[in-house]
């Protein structure tokens, strides 16, 4: 068993697509709009060089796919910052932090030393949480 | 400052091509990242990596363009811009030189992106359900 895709709810697919590609440097893996499915848009992204796993950027459906109450509950959870989280790793957390901050990425935590490495956190435009960790090599932990 | 071996400068330029191919990047920009003159840079790059920086950058862009033709429904013009190229004409020429067919022919030669998208069955079922709003049971008067 392997991970293929994992999904995040998003408010605006174009806005988050620009964020994940232009700011984080990820690549589009799939972007298809299906007229036979009420213009449902299947949109996935993943880091360059990691093509076998992707994040699905899923628009929150309204009725009849999702009833109005549930839609509002999902949006409320996202607004409170308790929707999805993506955990990314990097070779250089501090350098990435500087570059992303310069691009206007909204950080919730600046890089900090942790037992497992250096870690920071930010949000995508829909409020999803993203952790970025420079993992220490096991020998150095 | 410690002197870095030349290949490290070249690698920085190569990494730049890999990371920012989607922007309007030219060989001049890569040479600048390596801190070398354009001619010297191109020569050194080819000697180290076996191909010119122009070809390296172009093949990176064309590989991405081919993936977008296979996996998205973006237009050829959109894909051209998406991979950092400006003119659809020169994009088509370069693409044909590499893949032996134009971007449009390439797309037609592979299964449609919509059939490749791994949309899970639960979503297909939810979105493809006929949206009858006048089913008799709903509108039938309540018997009292």
């Amino acid at each position: 068993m392997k991970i293929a895709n994992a999904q995040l709810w998003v408010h605006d697919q174009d806005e988050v697509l620009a964020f994940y590609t232009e700011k984080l440097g990820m690549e589009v893996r799939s972007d298809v709009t299906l007229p036979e499915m009420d213009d449902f848009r299947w949109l996935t992204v993943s880091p360059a060089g990691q093509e076998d796993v992707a994040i699905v950027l899923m628009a929150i459906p309204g009725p009849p796919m999702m009833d109005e109450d549930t839609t509002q509950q999902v949006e409320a959870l996202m607004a409170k910052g308790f929707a999805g989280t993506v955990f990314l790793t990097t070779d250089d957390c501090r350098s990435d932090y500087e570059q992303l901050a310069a691009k206007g990425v909204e950080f919730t935590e600046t890089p900090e030393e942790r037992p497992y490495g250096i870690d920071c956190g930010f949000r995508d435009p829909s409020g999803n949480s993203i952790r970025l960790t420079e993992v220490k090599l096991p020998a150095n932990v | 400052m410690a002197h870095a071996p030349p290949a490290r400068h070249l690698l920085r330029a190569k990494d730049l091509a890999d990371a920012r191919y989607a922007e309007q990047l030219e060989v001049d920009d890569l040479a600048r990242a390596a801190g070398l003159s354009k001619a010297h840079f191109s020569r050194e790059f080819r000697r180290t990596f076996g191909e010119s920086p122009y070809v390296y950058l172009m093949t990176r862009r064309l590989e991405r363009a081919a993936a977008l033709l296979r996996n998205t429904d973006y237009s050829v013009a959109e894909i051209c811009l998406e991979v950092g190229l400006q003119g659809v004409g020169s994009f088509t020429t370069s693409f044909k030189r590499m893949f032996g067919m134009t971007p449009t022919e390439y797309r037609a030669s592979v299964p449609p992106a919509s059939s490749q998208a791994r949309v899970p069955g639960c979503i297909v079922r939810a979105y493809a359900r006929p949206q009858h709003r006048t089913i008799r049971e709903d509108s039938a008067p309540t018997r009292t």
Side-chain angles (χ1 to χ4, degrees), chain B residues 98-114:
Chain B
M98 176 146 300
F99 291 95
M101 55 185 116
T102 66
T104 307
E105 289 165 349
Y106 179 85
R107 174 170 269 166
S109 75
V110 296
S114 57

Side-chain angles (χ1 to χ4, degrees), chain A residues 4-5 7 17 27-34 36-38 40-43 48 51 58-61 64-65, chain B residues 18-19 21 60 63-64 67-68 71-74 82 113-114 116-120 123-124 126-128 131 133:
Chain A
N5 301 314
Q7 176 200 301
L17 175 60
E27 293 179 342
V28 175
R29 292 287 163 242
S30 183
D31 187 354
V32 178
T33 301
L34 301 164
E36 68 274 24
M37 285 170 56
D38 200 20
F40 170 79
R41 184 179 179 191
W42 178 251
L43 175 62
E51 298 187 14
M58 182 77 78
I60 308 165
M65 263 59 80
Chain B
D18 278 329
Y21 64 89
R60 169 81 170 127
E63 173 274 319
R64 277 304 296 155
L68 292 172
N71 300 320
T72 72
D73 46 22
Y74 299 172
E82 191 81 19
S114 57
Q116 298 301 298
R118 293 195 213 160
V119 183
I123 290 178
V124 175
Y127 278 82
Q131 307 300 322
R133 292 168 200 284

Side-chain angles (χ1 to χ4, degrees), chain B residues 1-143:
Chain B
M1 194 174 84
H3 177 72
R8 183 67 190 88
H9 297 310
L10 297 171
L11 187 58
R12 192 166 291 127
K14 188 165 176 261
D15 289 345
L16 184 67
D18 278 329
R20 292 172 57 188
Y21 64 89
E23 299 171 23
Q24 291 179 33
L25 209 59
E26 309 274 353
V27 174
D28 281 341
D29 301 306
L30 303 182
R32 205 169 301 124
L36 299 172
S37 74
K38 189 177 173 184
H40 187 202
F41 166 68
S42 291
R43 210 166 39 243
E44 289 295 303
F45 191 98
R46 183 193 286 273
R47 195 173 61 80
T48 306
F49 300 117
E51 59 188 344
S52 74
Y54 176 81
V55 168
Y56 186 80
L57 180 58
M58 183 55 87
T59 49
R60 169 81 170 127
R61 285 173 161 153
L62 293 179
E63 173 274 319
R64 277 304 296 155
L68 292 172
L69 285 164
R70 289 193 308 272
N71 300 320
T72 72
D73 46 22
Y74 299 172
S75 71
V76 170
E78 283 172 324
I79 289 173
C80 171
L81 293 175
E82 191 81 19
V83 300
L85 295 171
Q86 298 306 300
V88 177
S90 64
F91 166 54
T92 301
T93 306
S94 303
F95 193 93
K96 187 169 184 180
R97 199 173 294 140
M98 176 146 300
F99 291 95
M101 55 185 116
T102 66
T104 307
E105 289 165 349
Y106 179 85
R107 174 170 269 166
S109 75
V110 296
S114 57
S115 70
Q116 298 301 298
R118 293 195 213 160
V119 183
C122 56
I123 290 178
V124 175
R125 284 193 295 277
Y127 278 82
R129 262 165 82 165
Q131 307 300 322
H132 288 301
R133 292 168 200 284
T134 54
I135 289 179
R136 184 172 298 176
E137 287 83 346
D138 281 351
S139 56
T142 311
R143 289 181 190 172

